[in-house]
Amino acid sequence: MQYISTRGRAPTLGYADVTLAGLANDGGLYLPSHWPSVSNEQMRNWRSLDYADLATEILSLFSGEDVSKSTLAKLTSRAYQNFGHAAIAPLKQLDSALYVMELFHGPTLAFKDFALQYLGQLFNQLLTERGETCTIVGATSGDTGSAAIEAIRGLDAVELYMLHPKGKVSEVQRRQMTTVLEDNIHNLAIQGTFDDCQNLVKAMFNDAPFREKHNLSAVNSINWSRIAAQVVYYFRAALELGAPDRAVNFSVPTGNFGNVLAGYVAKKMGLPIEKLIIGSNSNDILTRFFDSGKMQQLGVKSTLSPSMDIQISSNFERYLFELMGRDADRIRAMMETFAEKGEFSIASSELQNALQLFAAHRLDDRETEKEIQRVYQSCGEVMDPHSVIGVAAARRHAETGTPTVVLGTAHAAKFAQAVSQSCGVSVEMPDRVKHIMDGEERAFDLANDLGELQKFINRQ
Ligand SMILES: *Cc1c(COP(=O)(O)O)cnc(C)c1O
């Protein structure tokens, strides 16, 4: 399998190089040169597989020659062994045609574990085969940091430096990161804001000698292998509901367009998906786009669903590339306009085309609280503020009778305060993660200063 960049000027790479590279060197995002296709017969055979084996089958279509199937089987079995539910991604019925797939039984109680647990194993495998090591640096305002730390802890070939703004993440978020004491994990509490942390990370990548010396890398949401790993649960859910012999919809609470893009990929591979419904909070850049055909960047607002508080949906470029008939020159021009003016538009015929598959709905915080309460009253389920945005978006779209699967992206205990103020239920952390609340913590305090940070990394 070969991978090409959305901006058409980066070298064509295989799966291993695309995974280790992350972003393409022309500023674009990698995606497969063609979509692998899965026959109906093959899908029926997949119905009886367990989660890790299904992941092996699907990921082998993306890895091509670069990773053997037996190696993939080893990686997926390790990636999905630390989940707190035997089904890995259990499907629960909420209403006659409405289901939620619970993607929050991983080590950090949110769906990012599905991609990152696999990506950590894959990085370690590829680097070990090459006799290399790498240093991953990242900045977090809370959730992504812990998912990356859980994925990388204890791996031989990878060091991780995770920067968070000191005093500006919640106690649970901090403890999820700082109670991990393996030698290859370095938590850095920066005197500054999340933006300061992100700027420090960018500055390290822009320092070419430093970048090369440490073989710097990132595991952010534009990495193709994260998207590929997320394709698996779309197949799992649809197969359980009767695919390929019955169509399904998915409703996805989204920010970066990463999760819902994986649904688009599943559809291109042959999974019978009728609609992909996008749920956003007040940071509604995607909803406005699907209303108007205009992508326009506004300021970020804080909401009850902070993991979707984003300004730009970076993974959207991959879908746009598809929508524009894979015209890389056009994408490059649009992205230049966006960087300059903070907006771009597509033609109304192109928007109509996109709306064949996508629908989008927005919920503000009040509507989110009401939906948490409604779901609790109508089926006794206590759901987190991100997941219920998916439920409400699905309900607004429930005209066809096609079964709809909401992707449940976080455990209610992760957002216990918003949940209890909405429906009066206090949710406890599951037993398997409770130990973080009294575990020993380790983090290093650093000033918001590139020189000191680089000195710290050089010393390790
Ligand atoms: C990251 C995250 C999202 C948004 O996912 P995208 O891939 O950015 O669309 C939604 N919910 C939760 C709980 C998250 O952590």
Side-chain angles (χ1 to χ4, degrees):
M1 174 66 75
Q2 292 292 306
Y3 290 82
I4 56 172
S5 164
T6 49
R7 301 201 192 170
R9 292 188 174 167
T12 299
L13 299 178
Y15 181 73
D17 287 325
V18 156
T19 300
L20 294 172
L23 197 69
N25 68 9
D26 58 359
L29 279 67
Y30 276 110
L31 79 180
S33 62
H34 66 277
W35 297 113
S37 93
V38 182
S39 70
N40 287 352
E41 194 190 343
Q42 204 167 7
M43 275 188 244
R44 289 186 198 106
N45 290 334
W46 285 354
R47 282 179 184 154
S48 59
L49 297 180
D50 74 13
Y51 193 90
D53 290 341
L54 179 63
T56 302
E57 292 299 324
I58 290 172
L59 291 166
S60 75
L61 301 174
F62 292 107
S63 69
E65 311 273 277
D66 281 15
V67 189
S68 72
K69 219 167 184 176
S70 61
T71 301
L72 275 178
K74 179 185 76 181
L75 303 181
T76 57
S77 109
R78 286 187 190 150
Y80 300 110
Q81 74 186 355
N82 294 324
F83 280 57
H85 196 298
I88 310 297
L91 193 63
K92 219 178 224 180
Q93 190 161 10
L94 293 183
D95 201 341
S96 56
L98 187 63
Y99 298 80
V100 58
M101 181 165 243
E102 295 184 346
L103 300 177
F104 47 73
H105 295 287
T108 72
L109 307 181
F111 89 98
K112 291 191 177 66
D113 290 329
F114 276 82
L116 283 168
Q117 287 287 316
Y118 168 70
L119 190 63
Q121 294 298 330
L122 181 61
F123 256 74
N124 203 52
Q125 174 72 27
L126 298 173
L127 289 163
T128 305
E129 281 171 10
R130 295 175 179 200
E132 291 175 11
T133 59
C134 84
T135 299
I136 291 177
V137 292
T140 184
S141 55
D143 281 346
T144 314
S146 59
I149 287 168
E150 282 293 339
I152 288 165
R153 65 190 297 179
L155 298 178
D156 293 330
V158 188
E159 292 285 313
L160 174 63
Y161 292 84
M162 187 54 69
L163 284 59
H164 70 264
K166 186 174 167 69
K168 296 192 175 71
V169 299
S170 76
E171 186 185 1
V172 171
Q173 286 176 328
R174 188 192 73 237
R175 285 183 165 277
Q176 278 189 311
M177 298 192 281
T178 57
T179 55
V180 176
L181 302 177
E182 273 87 348
D183 289 341
N184 70 328
I185 303 297
H186 311 272
N187 276 294
L188 304 177
I190 303 292
Q191 290 292 349
T193 63
F194 171 59
D195 284 342
D196 294 329
C197 295
Q198 257 187 329
N199 288 334
L200 286 169
V201 169
K202 273 188 208 150
M204 285 192 283
F205 275 99
N206 288 334
D207 179 343
F210 185 81
R211 188 177 70 217
E212 272 152 39
K213 176 173 173 203
H214 292 282
N215 198 14
L216 283 197
S217 193
V219 290
N220 48 27
S221 68
I222 48 85
N223 195 300
W224 171 258
S225 289
R226 277 180 71 168
I227 305 294
Q230 293 175 173
V231 171
V232 178
Y233 47 73
Y234 284 88
F235 274 90
R236 170 88 282 159
L239 292 175
E240 275 176 45
L241 292 175
D245 306 302
R246 186 191 193 196
V248 288
N249 299 325
F250 284 91
S251 180
V252 188
T254 196
N256 249 321
F257 204 77
N259 204 1
V260 70
L261 180 78
Y264 173 81
V265 175
K267 169 142 180 121
K268 296 305 279 186
M269 293 168 75
L271 194 67
I273 296 177
E274 202 170 276
K275 272 278 188 274
L276 287 168
I277 303 158
I278 290 167
S280 65
N281 63 24
S282 301
N283 298 291
D284 58 351
I285 183 165
L286 287 169
T287 307
R288 286 184 284 111
F289 175 82
F290 284 105
D291 283 345
S292 67
K294 181 164 154 185
M295 188 67 90
Q296 184 185 30
Q297 185 182 348
L298 301 174
V300 188
K301 296 175 209 145
S302 299
T303 71
L304 293 175
S305 43
S307 302
M308 291 161 32
D309 290 348
I310 53 93
Q311 217 172 352
I312 301 175
S313 299
S314 45
N315 259 299
F316 193 73
E317 183 170 334
R318 286 190 168 110
Y319 174 64
L320 204 59
F321 181 66
E322 289 275 293
L323 188 62
M324 301 294 128
R326 297 198 156 207
D327 181 347
D329 292 333
R330 180 129 183 247
I331 296 296
R332 215 168 43 244
M334 288 171 100
M335 290 302 142
E336 275 164 22
T337 308
F338 192 56
E340 258 168 48
K341 302 201 175 113
E343 59 180 71
F344 66 80
S345 295
I346 61 170
S348 77
S349 58
E350 291 161 341
L351 178 61
Q352 288 316 311
N353 196 358
L355 290 172
Q356 303 277 313
L357 179 60
F358 288 95
H361 299 281
R362 150 190 52 240
L363 262 76
D364 64 20
D365 277 353
R366 240 186 67 76
E367 292 169 309
T368 304
E369 287 176 331
K370 272 169 68 182
E371 187 66 12
I372 292 175
Q373 194 178 25
R374 199 200 59 81
V375 171
Y376 179 62
Q377 282 170 352
S378 66
C379 47
E381 279 299 312
V382 181
M383 286 179 78
D384 98 287
H386 304 79
S387 307
V388 294
I389 289 178
V391 175
R395 288 201 306 125
R396 288 186 199 173
H397 200 83
E399 74 266 15
T400 61
T402 304
T404 300
V405 179
V406 175
L407 297 185
T409 54
H411 194 290
K414 257 194 126 157
F415 300 94
Q417 203 187 336
V419 169
S420 81
Q421 99 199 16
S422 308
C423 70
V425 178
S426 67
V427 214
E428 292 230 353
M429 297 292 266
D431 285 344
R432 69 198 162 84
V433 294
K434 264 189 187 151
H435 63 269
I436 65 163
M437 295 318 288
D438 47 29
E440 182 191 339
E441 291 188 79
R442 192 179 67 202
F444 301 92
D445 287 351
L446 280 179
N448 174 20
D449 182 290
L450 180 63
E452 283 202 23
L453 174 60
Q454 290 182 314
K455 223 190 294 169
F456 183 89
I457 295 176
N458 282 331
R459 267 206 307 272
Q460 304 298 312

